[in-house]
Amino acid sequence: MQNIRNIAVIAHVDHGKTTLVDGLLQQSGTFEAHKEVAERVMDSNDIEKERGITILSKNTAIRYNDYKINIIDTPGHADFGGEVERVLKMVDGVLLLVDAQEGVMPQTKFVLKKAISLGLRPIVVVNKIDKPAAEPERVVDEVFDLLVALEADDTQLDFPVLYAAARDGYAKWNMDDDNKDLTPLFEAILEYVPAPVGSAENTLQTQVFTLDYDNYVGRIGIARIFNGKVKAGEQVLLAKADGEQKKGRITKLIGFLGLERIEIDEAEAGDIVAIAGFNEIDVGDTITDPADPQPLDPLRIEEPTLSVIFSVNDGPFAGREGKFVTANKLRERLEKEMETNIAMKLEQLGEGSFKVSGRGELQISILAENMRREGYEFLISRPEVVIKEENGVRLEPYEHLVIDVPEEHSGAVIEKLGRRKAEMTSMTPMPDGTTRIEFEIPARGLIGFRTQFLTDTKGEGVMNHSFLEYRAFVGNVEHRANGALISMENGKALGYALFNLQDRGVLFIKPQTEVYVGMIIGEHARPNDLEVNPIKGKKLSNVRSSGADDAIVLVPPREMNLERAMEWIEEDELVEVTPENIRIRKRYLDPHVRKRMEKQKKA
C-alpha cells in the first residue's frame, strides 16, 4: 500500500498557485537535477502562458520521502469555477494561497466555500510576503473571518498557517524564521492532509472528475480510485450519471509523476490515474466491478450563465484569411470542445449558427481565441445571459462584484454601476490608499462594463466577480451610450479621410486597413450611428494655396482585441473573427435593410 496524499491548490487569480506548484516539483527531486524546466511549467497552453492565468485544472504527482503527493493546480478565475468544484471532490485537503498584500478576494471566497462545504481542512499559505506592502497578520485575520462567515467547523477554523514567497522557493512557520526552502510546506502537507479513506480490498469504485482527449486512444477519463484496485486490460463496468451501465475493458492505465504520464499495470485506492477504453466516458461517471456494481453519486456541475452565437462568416471578406470556414468544420470543432469542456453547452440554431453557453465572457473568448489560432473563421454575437423560468417567475444570474479603486474615482464608478442595477453591500478603505467596494449586480450589467471601468479609473482599478445565484429579473440595464461609425464604401482607408473623421469619435482602424460597407470603423461621440466614408481621398488641383498641405496627424486607433470587441458590440452587431484580423460589423450590412429592420423592431 502506497502512502498517498491528495491535495488541491486553490487561490484567486495571480496569487501564485502555479509558481508554488513549480517550486514543489523542483524541490521534491521529481525533476532530475540537470533537466531544463520552463517557468510556470503547469501552464501548458499558449494562452495560459501569455496571460499568466490557469484555465484548465491539471494534476501532477511528486515523490517526497516515502510519500506520493498528488497535486491538482486549479484555475483561479470564476469563469472556470466548474473545474474547481469537481476537483475538490477528489482530494482530501486544500492549500489555500492568499496574497500577503491583496488579502481575501472574491474567488478566494468562491473556492473556499466549496472546500468548506465538502469538509476539507485548509492549510493557509500567505504568499508573496516579500512584497513591500505585505501585511501577513491582517491577511490571516481576514481568512479566519471568512471561514467564520462560511460556517466552518472547529477543526477547519484551527488551520495551520505558513508564510511563503513561492517565486523565491521558500516557506516558513514564523515570519522571524530564516528563508530556506519549501520543507515546512512538505511537512505541513504530510501532517495535516489526511490519508485517503477506502481500501484496496473493497469493491472497485473509481470516479472521473476531468476529461482529456488523445488522437490515438480517444477519450481519457482522469479519475480518483476511492476503493479497490484497477488493472490495465481488466473488464469493468461504466456506470453513467443517468443510470445507464456499459461493460468494457480498460485499454490503457496511466499514472502521473512530475510532468510525465507513465503507463502502469495497476493502481489502488487513494491514487489518481488516467483511464482509456471508453468513448462515452464522462465527468461524474463511476468505473466499478461488473460482478458487484457500486456506483458513486454523480457530480453536479453548475449551469452556464452566459451564451453567444457562433455563425459562419457571410461578409465580403469571407474565406480570405481562414483555413476552416464552412458550417461543418465549425460544428465539428465546437463538438470536439464539448467532449472535454463539460462546463459548456452547444445547441444548433439553424444552418451554420450555433449557440455556445458557458460560465462567462472569458471562458467563451478563450475558446474563440483558440479556434482563431487554429485557422477558423467565424462570426460571434453579443454575449447574452441565460434566463431561467421557475413557477412563472423569470430569473437571471447575479454576480458578486468586488472592485479596488483609488479613492478619487470611487464616486464615478458607484454612479455608473448604479445605472446598471448594482447594489452596494460594503465599502472598506484599504491600507494601500485604495477603496474596496462590494456589489451584487445582474450579470447583464457587467457585459461591456470593463472597458468603461478602466477608462473611469485611469487604468488603476481592479475588478473581480464570481457567480452568486439566480434572482428575479430586473428591468432594462443601461448599455453602451455611444453609437458606431459605419463605413459606407468598400476599399482601403486613407489617412486624409481618417484625419477628418477623428473629430467624430474614436477610430478602431489605421490607414490602409481594408473596409467594406457595413463594417464598423469607430465609436461615434454621440448616441446615434453615423455612416462615414473612410476611403475619401484629397482632391488635387493645379492651384497652389498656403496651408493646403498641412501635416496629417492621426490619433492612435483603439486596438480592439477579441474580449474588448465582444464587450463593446450591441445586439445588431457582430464580431468577425479570422486568424489575421478581428473586425466589428453590423449584422445587416446593407443600410436599407438595417433601416427596415429598425422600423420592424420599433413596430
Side-chain angles (χ1 to χ4, degrees), residues 528-555:
N528 61 310
D529 289 346
L530 183 69
E531 292 197 21
V532 296
N533 182 356
I535 67 166
K536 186 177 174 188
K538 183 179 176 187
K539 291 280 179 285
L540 297 176
S541 71
N542 55 1
V543 179
R544 273 187 69 186
S545 62
S546 64
D549 290 322
D550 284 347
I552 289 175
V553 180
L554 289 173
V555 176

Side-chain angles (χ1 to χ4, degrees), residues 453-526:
F453 171 73
L454 288 174
T455 310
D456 289 345
T457 59
K458 298 191 167 53
E460 290 180 20
V462 179
M463 64 181 264
N464 291 286
H465 53 91
S466 60
F467 175 69
L468 192 61
E469 60 187 355
Y470 269 87
R471 291 188 189 169
F473 191 86
V474 290
N476 284 336
V477 168
E478 184 188 81
H479 286 314
R480 191 178 84 211
N482 297 20
L485 295 175
I486 307 162
S487 171
M488 57 200 289
E489 295 288 346
N490 298 319
K492 281 191 177 172
L494 297 175
Y496 174 78
L498 297 182
F499 176 66
N500 291 322
L501 287 176
Q502 59 188 11
D503 296 341
R504 296 298 183 100
V506 181
L507 296 175
F508 301 158
I509 62 167
K510 302 197 279 263
Q512 296 303 301
T513 303
E514 279 202 77
V515 297
Y516 53 79
V517 174
M519 178 171 150
I520 295 173
I521 63 156
E523 181 177 282
H524 192 196
R526 295 186 176 175

Side-chain angles (χ1 to χ4, degrees), residues 94-387:
V94 291
L95 278 187
L96 172 69
L97 243 74
V98 193
D99 186 303
Q101 181 180 332
E102 289 184 7
V104 171
M105 295 291 273
Q107 267 90 51
T108 319
K109 252 177 219 172
F110 175 79
V111 289
L112 194 56
K113 186 175 167 187
K114 303 263 183 255
I116 295 301
S117 64
L118 292 167
L120 300 174
R121 181 185 185 186
I123 296 173
V124 176
V125 181
V126 180
N127 193 21
K128 305 193 182 184
I129 54 170
D130 50 341
K131 277 187 170 181
E135 289 185 297
E137 301 310 322
R138 170 183 65 88
V139 171
V140 174
D141 291 345
E142 278 183 17
V143 173
F144 185 82
D145 293 345
L146 174 60
L147 284 166
V148 171
L150 295 174
E151 298 174 0
D153 62 30
D154 293 347
T155 320
Q156 290 170 326
L157 287 172
D158 184 22
F159 53 84
V161 179
L162 289 110
Y163 302 94
R167 193 187 57 187
D168 300 330
Y170 65 82
K172 48 192 181 178
W173 288 106
N174 297 300
M175 285 298 285
D176 312 332
D177 296 352
D178 294 338
N179 304 339
K180 286 186 183 162
D181 53 18
L182 292 171
T183 306
L185 187 54
F186 285 114
E187 289 169 355
I189 293 172
L190 300 185
E191 187 180 339
Y192 293 104
V193 177
V197 290
S199 157
E201 309 310 315
N202 295 349
T203 300
L204 174 65
Q205 286 181 308
T206 299
Q207 192 164 38
V208 178
F209 65 94
T210 186
L211 297 174
D212 207 341
Y213 190 82
D214 182 277
N215 288 335
Y216 296 103
V217 295
R219 275 178 109 157
I220 297 173
I222 297 172
R224 165 152 176 195
I225 308 165
F226 284 94
N227 273 308
K229 284 184 181 172
V230 62
K231 294 180 181 145
E234 77 171 328
Q235 287 284 338
V236 290
L237 182 80
L238 180 71
K240 308 280 291 170
D242 57 7
E244 189 189 347
Q245 298 190 337
K246 289 187 176 177
K247 284 188 179 173
R249 197 170 67 83
I250 294 174
T251 53
K252 256 190 184 180
L253 187 63
I254 302 159
F256 297 93
L257 184 64
L259 303 179
E260 307 291 322
R261 291 186 172 195
I262 316 147
E263 272 201 58
I264 53 175
D265 296 326
E266 72 166 23
E268 54 187 41
D271 212 348
I272 290 176
V273 291
I275 292 171
F278 295 92
N279 266 340
E280 46 288 302
I281 199 162
D282 240 320
V283 166
D285 292 355
T286 306
I287 291 169
T288 182
D289 186 347
D292 177 19
Q294 294 185 9
L296 293 157
D297 292 339
L299 301 178
R300 193 185 65 78
I301 291 143
E302 281 197 5
E303 291 295 302
T305 55
L306 203 76
S307 66
V308 302
I309 292 164
F310 282 69
S311 53
V312 172
N313 186 7
D314 58 0
F317 296 169
R320 272 200 203 176
E321 297 163 5
K323 200 158 85 181
F324 309 112
V325 294
T326 61
N328 285 346
K329 289 287 183 194
L330 197 57
R331 188 183 66 243
E332 278 170 23
R333 175 63 180 86
L334 291 171
E335 282 172 352
K336 186 180 167 205
E337 183 69 23
M338 300 306 137
E339 282 189 348
T340 54
N341 192 339
I342 56 138
M344 289 180 118
K345 289 198 165 62
L346 175 68
E347 189 186 327
Q348 181 148 3
L349 294 180
E351 189 54 49
S353 87
F354 309 90
K355 184 178 183 181
V356 175
S357 309
R359 287 293 304 274
E361 285 173 66
L362 181 67
Q363 193 188 23
I364 292 169
S365 71
I366 281 173
L367 165 62
E369 181 62 38
N370 277 325
M371 288 172 64
R372 174 174 112 91
R373 292 177 183 203
E374 290 161 23
Y376 287 83
E377 184 176 306
F378 50 91
L379 299 172
I380 293 187
S381 72
R382 177 170 190 263
E384 297 292 337
V385 297
V386 176
I387 305 288

Side-chain angles (χ1 to χ4, degrees), residues 436-455:
R436 178 167 293 178
I437 317 173
E438 302 193 22
F439 296 90
E440 290 176 0
I441 181 171
R444 282 181 302 148
L446 282 173
I447 297 173
F449 175 66
R450 189 176 293 273
T451 315
Q452 192 181 23
F453 171 73
L454 288 174
T455 310

Side-chain angles (χ1 to χ4, degrees), residues 43-55:
D43 282 348
S44 53
N45 78 28
D46 292 346
I47 298 183
E48 289 186 317
K49 287 197 166 83
E50 283 166 27
R51 300 183 184 217
I53 59 171
T54 303
I55 294 167

Side-chain angles (χ1 to χ4, degrees), residues 5-9 21 25 41-44 54 56-62 68-75 83 86-87 90-91 209-212 220-224 254-261 271-275:
R5 296 289 182 271
N6 295 318
I7 191 158
V9 187
V21 175
L25 279 166
V41 69
M42 296 290 281
D43 282 348
S44 53
T54 303
L56 305 164
S57 60
K58 302 183 196 60
N59 44 312
T60 181
I62 58 177
K68 179 181 182 185
I69 305 174
N70 286 313
I71 302 176
I72 305 181
D73 181 16
T74 61
E83 294 266 337
R86 303 193 306 272
V87 161
M90 300 299 144
V91 295
F209 65 94
T210 186
L211 297 174
D212 207 341
I220 297 173
I222 297 172
R224 165 152 176 195
I254 302 159
F256 297 93
L257 184 64
L259 303 179
E260 307 291 322
R261 291 186 172 195
D271 212 348
I272 290 176
V273 291
I275 292 171

